[in-house]
Amino acid sequence: MSHPKPQKSHPFLFPSVRSPVLPDPSRFFSPNLLSSPPPTNSFFQNFAIGNGDEPEYIHPYLIKSADSSISISYPSLVHNPSVIYQQFVPDLTISATDKTDPTHVISSYSDLSVTLDFPSSNLRFFLVRGSPFVTCSVTGNISISISTVHVILSFSSNSSLTKHTVELNNGQTWFIYTSSSVRLNHGLSSIGSGGFTGIIRIAVLPGSDTIHESVLDQFSSCYPTSGDAVLTKPFCLEYKWEKKGWGDLLMLAHPLHLDILATDCCDVKVLENFKYKGIDGELVGVVGDSWVLKSRQVSVTWHSIKGVSEESYNEIMTALVKDVEALDSSTIMTTSSYFYGKLVARAARLALIAEEVSYPDVIPAIRTFLKDTIEPWLDGTFNGNGFLYESKWGGIVTKQGSADIFADFGFGEFSGNHFHIGYFLYGIAVLAKINPAWGRRFKPQVYSLVEDFVNPDRRSNSNSLRLRCFDLYKLHSWAGGLTAYPDGRHEENSGEAVNAYYSAALMGLAYGDTHLVATGSTLMALEIQAAQTWWHVKEGDNLYGKEFTGQNRMVGILWANKRETRVWFGPSEWREYRLGIQLLPLTPISEVLYSNIEFTRELVNWTLPALAKDGVEDGWKGFVYALEAIYDRESALEKMKNLQDHDNGNSLTNLLWWVHSRGNELKLKTEHGWFTRHCHGVYLCYIWIRLLSSLKKSIRLSN
């Protein structure tokens, strides 16, 4: 089964702006790379902004570029109950003797790699994620300098002078492999060479077992220069590395890779005893230059997975009528793209709930509200804000963000765009579903929004960056944009990231676009599994160590190189913030995100005591009770009815819909955080029939 072909391009662009608050990408990117939009949330973003000298985590090493050199750190983990981070120490620093460059040049990049050049020094570094070696190409017969902040305890070379072993006083042992013989001299903390041309590969010995050294020796002659990730078909991702040298390619897989690596579909061998440590968990050796990864299959539906119990219809409809009567676009005071988008999506939820409880009478009012609130953002008539196309980096920003990088939570510097746009897309998808003529009218603008962060296209000169926020190695999204952070990119709102791709898939349903359904569903499924792997902290799990795990059930802010328990808007002690921001918005896909009942119970029990303190807002309580409803409906329902207020993206109607759709016909399998039925195959067929039916009904939108 081949991946569905994309539909024809929709080249609409919002009004152009050249933001004065954004850096110039030409400082670090090679000119030939600027014919298409450069990355704005990539794993190597620190190399492209600021001074280019903040470190990045290129698994398993922290890499820093500064002073015409590359520093490599095999970091140690520092952890306590509030934070875990990897400490950068320049264990080895590589440069050309007596050569300087004003800065590095990013000469190429791909999904899984970035290449840094130092033109005057004749050095090129192939930084490929998951490679146990850092590979450097040297031209011009230059002298190489390798220094360390540690003391060199011993240094030795093999008889052919192609493998050099360095033991440091911090307990580390490093190997330097060269493609041809070279005599290296060393001092107390430095190593030098005469003239050399060829390939240098550097790797740390990850453990004391002699098998580790023999594995590194065996695979030292084959090196990757780049790596691509290809969405081959729904719920399937294939890694393909370009390699040089001879022999087989050795790479490293993180825990989620190992969970979804389809060893029966690709020629790979997992070296279970060859491991590196890291903040994302153990990195395990995998031999092979092509991997196939298969996520769990998640069916995207408009309505609840289990259905709403009919005896609850009247209760839901009573709340629904009140919530719809309160809709009034003229009373919306915010111009924030984030909070405005949440209001749009909240109203869209009401329309879908009305469908599900067979109460269509309120849908015309919701349709009017959605039309009145969404259209001004699409046609440029919204007073105080709107969408623009930033031409320097090539992507959508807001009017407020284009002049102030702090406005709209960083939208103007491409931080968290998928959160904001995701809410709008949810509302747009629903409006296009219930008003196909409107959907056809605004299709170009709508596709411009969705393609800003769900564009899988690689073609040069595209107006949209390929998968702006999604990291195809870590398998989740990043925020952070064009600010240089010492710990790399970050993401706080895993629930909103899931919602972004869920909304894109719903857009595909609304427009009969099977390609968008497949792409959105696949990214959503990966985002869910990544959240369950790295944000959800389960009792007894050893990923983050006993000290952190013993005190936490949820990560607050996940950085490339750090885990924090705080959130941007509150301290660690406000646990309801952490639970809420990793859940909201509450939609049918939330059931899949929190399908592990055992963990959900742990999380709620960990959070409930925090609700007793003064000042806890009802909006956050609502999300805690929503998760409680997964395993104790009656208790949660009673608490929900006592709430006086709700999050501005939530409503009493939505909470009642949620609690009354916690049916018993699905048996959740907590061991793997997934769900099954006794008749699992029948259920999947049922879901796909619903999906095809939705596509058939909406196919007229694509005409």
Side-chain angles (χ1 to χ4, degrees):
M1 175 183 175
S2 61
H3 199 54
K5 296 293 184 183
Q7 295 192 340
K8 63 181 181 179
S9 174
H10 299 267
F12 174 86
L13 290 181
F14 288 95
S16 181
V17 65
R18 192 169 176 86
S19 173
V21 299
L22 295 183
D24 184 353
S26 66
R27 180 181 179 190
F28 294 104
F29 285 98
S30 175
N32 66 294
L33 299 179
L34 296 177
S35 59
S36 56
T40 58
N41 285 279
S42 77
F43 67 93
F44 63 87
Q45 204 66 49
N46 277 345
F47 298 154
I49 51 181
N51 293 321
D53 58 358
E54 293 287 1
E56 287 284 19
Y57 186 31
I58 313 293
H59 300 66
Y61 303 110
L62 285 174
I63 305 291
K64 182 174 183 178
S65 173
D67 301 323
S68 302
S69 65
I70 287 289
S71 293
I72 309 170
S73 173
Y74 183 51
S76 58
L77 276 172
V78 178
H79 50 82
N80 58 53
S82 298
V83 66
I84 305 173
Y85 64 94
Q86 296 184 133
Q87 187 171 29
F88 177 85
V89 176
D91 295 316
L92 293 182
T93 298
I94 305 96
S95 62
T97 305
D98 300 326
K99 299 281 187 178
T100 60
D101 288 88
T103 184
H104 61 255
V105 175
I106 299 171
S107 60
S108 67
Y109 61 87
S110 64
D111 301 321
L112 308 174
S113 68
V114 61
T115 302
L116 301 187
D117 287 358
F118 294 87
S120 299
S121 303
N122 294 320
L123 299 180
R124 167 170 287 183
F125 290 88
F126 301 108
L127 303 178
V128 183
R129 307 178 81 185
S131 174
F133 302 88
V134 174
T135 304
C136 177
S137 174
V138 184
T139 57
N141 197 38
I142 63 169
S143 299
I144 299 297
S145 171
I146 301 175
S147 61
T148 177
V149 296
H150 311 294
V151 173
I152 298 174
L153 296 181
S154 70
F155 179 89
S156 61
S157 303
N158 65 359
S159 58
S160 62
L161 300 181
T162 56
K163 177 188 175 184
H164 313 270
T165 303
V166 185
E167 294 183 8
L168 305 177
N169 70 337
N170 68 340
Q172 292 178 344
T173 297
W174 291 79
F175 302 117
I176 303 170
Y177 299 91
T178 56
S179 58
S180 60
S181 300
V182 60
R183 188 173 300 279
L184 300 180
N185 303 306
H186 77 93
L188 186 65
S189 297
S190 63
I191 301 167
S193 78
F196 177 77
T197 295
I199 298 296
I200 298 176
R201 306 199 76 195
I202 298 175
V204 73
L205 182 66
S208 58
D209 195 321
T210 55
I211 189 176
H212 293 102
E213 181 174 356
S214 63
V215 170
L216 290 171
D217 289 348
Q218 180 182 352
F219 297 101
S220 62
S221 298
C222 180
Y223 62 96
T225 58
S226 67
D228 289 323
V230 185
L231 293 165
T232 54
K233 53 186 176 182
F235 308 109
C236 187
L237 182 67
E238 185 173 352
Y239 288 173
K240 297 180 178 180
W241 285 279
E242 292 292 327
K243 62 179 183 177
K244 292 185 177 182
W246 60 91
D248 294 324
L249 182 65
L250 172 65
M251 301 299 291
L252 300 172
H254 58 56
L256 183 51
H257 283 146
L258 294 174
D259 188 34
I260 64 176
L261 181 62
T263 54
D264 57 333
C265 298
C266 53
D267 185 17
V268 299
K269 180 181 180 181
V270 178
L271 307 181
E272 295 180 356
N273 295 319
F274 183 78
K275 300 176 181 179
Y276 282 73
K277 60 180 174 61
I279 196 168
D280 295 319
E282 289 184 331
L283 304 171
V284 178
V286 177
V287 180
D289 55 28
S290 179
W291 299 1
V292 175
L293 305 172
K294 292 187 177 181
S295 72
R296 295 166 184 153
Q297 296 191 15
V298 182
S299 299
V300 172
T301 60
W302 295 103
H303 303 128
S304 63
I305 295 173
K306 305 172 185 178
V308 176
S309 58
E310 290 190 18
E311 57 267 25
S312 67
Y313 278 14
N314 287 337
E315 182 179 22
I316 295 173
M317 286 189 290
T318 299
L320 178 62
V321 169
K322 291 182 179 179
D323 283 331
V324 172
E325 287 177 347
L327 293 178
D328 184 352
S329 60
S330 66
T331 63
I332 298 177
M333 302 304 295
T334 184
T335 59
S336 159
S337 57
Y338 176 75
F339 292 114
Y340 198 99
K342 289 182 70 174
L343 292 173
V344 167
R346 175 186 180 275
R349 287 290 310 128
L350 300 178
L352 294 179
I353 293 169
E355 288 184 343
E356 195 162 356
V357 299
S358 303
Y359 193 68
D361 295 4
V362 297
I363 291 180
I366 301 171
R367 182 171 59 235
T368 298
F369 178 85
L370 291 175
K371 183 175 180 293
D372 291 346
T373 52
I374 295 171
E375 265 189 37
W377 286 80
L378 300 183
D379 64 18
T381 60
F382 183 72
N383 186 26
N385 210 347
F387 295 123
L388 301 173
Y389 180 81
E390 206 288 319
S391 58
K392 208 167 15 177
W393 288 83
I396 292 175
V397 297
T398 59
K399 289 180 181 178
Q400 292 181 8
S402 66
D404 178 2
I405 61 171
F406 299 107
D408 287 333
F409 298 106
F411 200 143
E413 61 165 349
F414 304 101
S415 179
N417 299 33
H418 54 316
F419 305 148
H420 303 232
I421 296 175
Y423 280 120
F424 276 95
L425 290 184
Y426 191 91
I428 290 168
V430 172
L431 183 54
K433 178 182 186 292
I434 62 179
N435 189 348
W438 183 93
R440 287 192 295 271
R441 178 185 170 195
F442 285 97
K443 186 175 182 179
Q445 293 94 323
V446 168
Y447 266 74
S448 183
L449 284 176
V450 74
E451 288 175 356
D452 189 66
F453 72 97
V454 195
N455 173 27
D457 202 342
R458 297 177 184 277
R459 71 183 185 275
S460 182
N461 297 314
S462 169
N463 294 317
S464 300
L465 177 65
R466 170 173 158 82
L467 299 180
R468 180 178 304 281
C469 304
F470 197 84
D471 184 329
L472 287 161
Y473 183 82
K474 274 300 298 294
L475 306 178
H476 64 75
S477 297
W478 292 116
L482 299 179
T483 292
Y485 293 101
D487 292 296
R489 301 307 91 198
H490 60 77
E491 179 146 289
E492 176 187 59
N493 320 29
S494 60
E496 290 177 327
V498 170
N499 179 68
Y501 301 109
Y502 173 57
S503 298
L506 291 179
M507 280 279 305
L509 288 181
Y511 282 93
D513 185 343
T514 57
H515 176 71
L516 184 53
V517 173
T519 303
S521 297
T522 301
L523 297 176
M524 176 195 72
L526 292 169
E527 192 86 48
I528 287 172
Q529 288 189 252
Q532 292 170 341
T533 300
W534 287 299
W535 274 264
H536 298 183
V537 184
K538 305 168 188 68
E539 287 184 12
D541 197 349
N542 61 4
L543 180 67
Y544 291 138
K546 291 182 180 180
E547 190 175 13
F548 187 89
T549 302
Q551 296 295 318
N552 298 285
R553 291 294 158 265
M554 187 67 74
V555 170
I557 306 172
L558 188 143
W559 300 78
N561 192 45
K562 183 166 63 174
R563 306 291 185 266
E564 287 193 273
T565 54
R566 71 177 180 99
V567 292
W568 288 112
F569 52 93
S572 302
E573 294 75 22
W574 292 69
R575 294 178 176 182
E576 70 278 9
Y577 285 1
R578 270 192 272 174
L579 179 149
I581 203 64
Q582 309 305 351
L583 168 60
L584 62 84
L586 194 63
T587 70
I589 203 61
S590 306
E591 182 168 318
V592 182
L593 180 59
Y594 287 89
S595 56
N596 185 328
I597 292 181
E598 181 181 349
F599 166 71
T600 302
R601 190 191 304 269
E602 293 173 5
L603 174 62
V604 172
N605 288 337
W606 171 81
T607 308
L608 282 173
L611 302 187
K613 63 182 180 294
D614 293 335
V616 179
E617 299 173 5
D618 278 4
W620 296 107
K621 291 180 181 179
F623 293 119
V624 180
Y625 302 152
L627 288 188
E628 185 181 14
I630 291 177
Y631 60 87
D632 191 345
R633 283 187 293 173
E634 296 306 318
S635 174
L637 182 59
E638 183 179 352
K639 295 172 182 176
M640 288 175 182
K641 290 179 179 179
N642 291 324
L643 295 175
Q644 301 300 310
D645 196 13
H646 304 283
D647 176 75
N648 65 343
N650 202 11
S651 64
L652 177 59
T653 300
N654 199 40
L655 286 174
L656 292 174
W657 160 84
W658 172 264
V659 89
H660 289 303
S661 60
R662 304 301 88 216
N664 296 321
E665 66 270 23
L666 278 179
K667 181 176 180 177
L668 293 179
K669 189 167 110 179
T670 61
E671 180 182 357
H672 300 294
W674 202 239
F675 57 87
T676 58
R677 274 197 176 188
H678 294 299
C679 301
H680 186 60
V682 174
Y683 171 68
L684 286 179
C685 290
Y686 162 70
I687 287 294
W688 280 108
I689 288 170
R690 287 178 63 181
L691 172 62
L692 293 173
S693 176
S694 296
L695 285 171
K696 184 177 180 181
K697 289 178 182 178
S698 57
I699 196 72
R700 60 186 179 275
L701 279 170
S702 62
N703 296 329

